[in-house]
Amino acid sequence: MSSPVIINGKEVAQSIREGLVKEIAALKEQGITPGLAVVLVGTDPASQVYVGSKVKACEELGIYSQKWELPTETTQEELVELIHRLNADVRIHGILVQSPPPKHIDEEAVILNIDPRKDVDGFHPINVAKLVLEDEEGFVPCTPQGCMELLKAYNIETAGKHAVVIGRSMIVGKPMANLLVSKKANATVTIAHSRTKDLPALCRTADIIVAAVGRPEMVTADYVKEGAVVLDVGINRIPDETRPRGYRIVGDVNYESVKEKCAAITPVPGGVGPMTIALLMANTVKACRQLTR
Ligand code: NAD
């Protein structure tokens, strides 16, 4: 088998950002600046990093941003009150509450309070419904949307292909499956999960595998048919004493063995990861356009 195409998420994300720069400039000419509010409750270090990168991306693109860092003991009522204020703030077009919040906060109930028109994460039930209904005004979670953009950027055909999505979360697996089965993509989709029987055999029937499991390097060459396309959504920290931080990041796919068999693959890092923030920026600009037209 010839060497696979290594899907470069950094490059695709960069080209999305370049498109956004033009769109933001056009909005600013009309006196409109897109705005995003990022809300973090608590001090989870990974969440702090994610929130920091989202705000930085806003600054780089000229998107107005507000970073709300609330103490761990913030009550559900206080958080909801802030969301209501952000819903009413005309400078803000996108609102996201960094996941996961502390245990005493009911995340689903909080999301219900976000104005669906500002729900740039695409987690509000109205937006989940719009995705299923293929209503393009809705917001789609950024990571699966990023996966679709990678397929598009590399001209990877989805119509009539069998896609196996491993994972059924509301953040990745389910929206990914909905996007792939939509009339735009026309794939035949199987959603696999922790109770799926003989996952390797199922995956060997796939033309496209999307791994969103959260288990380091679970998908080995044994799961992959020759010539399949493999998108690895996983971000897992595994201990590595040779690294300054004492860990390294791996995906849900065993990259070294799978790349020998597949036609195209996303590396971790540098594959799906960079797309998520780019699509968050795109969703914020879309929310701004829709709210100001
Ligand atoms: P999750 O824990 O909510 O869902 C994991 C899914 O995997 C579940 O539906 C479960 O049924 C399934 N699963 C678990 N064990 C399995 C097994 N042995 N066989 C088959 N299925 C199994 O996770 P998530 O939020 O969907 O995230 C998945 C991975 O993607 C994580 O590594 C996460 O860090 C990563 N992620 C990356 C980005 C990004 O920006 N690239 C964004 C979100 C999540």
Side-chain angles (χ1 to χ4, degrees), residues 50 142-144 166-173 192-196 199 211-216 218 223 232-236 250-252 271-277:
Y50 290 138
C142 302
T143 304
I166 319 173
R168 57 179 162 187
S169 73
M170 293 305 293
I171 302 176
V172 190
H193 49 77
S194 50
R195 301 289 187 88
T196 297
L199 184 60
V213 192
R215 288 179 164 246
M218 184 186 87
Y223 286 58
D232 186 355
V233 179
I235 301 179
N236 308 290
V250 299
D252 291 340
V272 175
M275 298 297 289
T276 300
I277 292 187

Side-chain angles (χ1 to χ4, degrees), residues 46-290:
S47 293
Q48 283 172 330
V49 173
Y50 290 138
V51 163
S53 346
K54 289 168 186 175
V55 171
K56 187 164 161 260
C58 285
E59 283 163 5
E60 285 166 2
L61 293 183
I63 293 177
Y64 167 70
S65 67
Q66 289 182 3
K67 180 163 83 170
W68 291 86
E69 291 183 291
L70 308 180
T72 309
E73 55 278 12
T74 303
T75 64
Q76 173 109 357
E77 291 68 31
E78 287 166 332
L79 178 57
V80 166
E81 197 194 303
L82 171 62
I83 287 170
H84 289 168
R85 264 192 284 145
L86 297 171
N87 283 341
D89 188 335
V90 291
R91 297 167 300 172
I92 297 297
H93 307 101
I95 302 169
L96 81 81
V97 179
Q98 184 62 44
S99 189
K103 291 218 161 32
H104 65 279
I105 304 255
D106 177 349
E107 195 173 7
E108 280 181 30
V110 169
I111 289 165
L112 276 179
N113 283 279
I114 300 177
D115 182 336
R117 296 169 304 167
K118 296 192 176 187
D119 170 39
V120 283
D121 262 341
F123 295 162
H124 190 289
I126 294 269
N127 284 316
V128 177
K130 285 190 172 176
L131 168 60
V132 177
L133 293 166
E134 302 186 32
D135 175 345
E136 299 205 343
E137 297 238 320
F139 292 97
V140 178
C142 302
T143 304
Q145 213 186 327
C147 290
M148 296 306 289
E149 290 293 330
L150 289 177
L151 293 172
K152 197 167 91 186
Y154 281 81
N155 293 317
I156 293 167
E157 182 61 84
T158 51
K161 304 289 180 187
H162 181 209
V164 171
V165 177
I166 319 173
R168 57 179 162 187
S169 73
M170 293 305 293
I171 302 176
V172 190
K174 281 185 186 156
M176 186 73 225
N178 274 304
L179 287 168
L180 284 163
V181 81
S182 72
K183 290 194 190 76
K184 248 180 158 178
N186 290 309
T188 303
V189 182
T190 305
I191 307 179
H193 49 77
S194 50
R195 301 289 187 88
T196 297
K197 294 215 169 87
D198 201 353
L199 184 60
L202 174 67
C203 288
R204 282 195 298 273
T205 68
D207 305 302
I208 299 168
I209 297 175
V210 183
V213 192
R215 288 179 164 246
E217 302 184 324
M218 184 186 87
V219 176
T220 55
D222 182 42
Y223 286 58
V224 180
K225 168 172 89 175
E226 289 276 346
V229 172
V230 180
L231 302 185
D232 186 355
V233 179
I235 301 179
N236 308 290
R237 283 184 183 190
I238 59 166
D240 184 345
E241 293 309 323
T242 67
R243 303 293 171 100
R245 289 188 179 140
Y247 67 84
R248 69 193 154 93
I249 302 286
V250 299
D252 291 340
V253 174
N254 184 286
Y255 183 81
E256 288 307 322
S257 69
V258 168
K259 84 173 183 347
E260 301 302 323
K261 259 179 135 176
C262 63
I265 186 166
T266 58
V268 176
V272 175
M275 298 297 289
T276 300
I277 292 187
L279 270 300
L280 174 66
M281 298 299 111
N283 279 355
T284 302
V285 173
K286 172 178 165 179
C288 175
R289 260 193 281 110
Q290 294 185 168

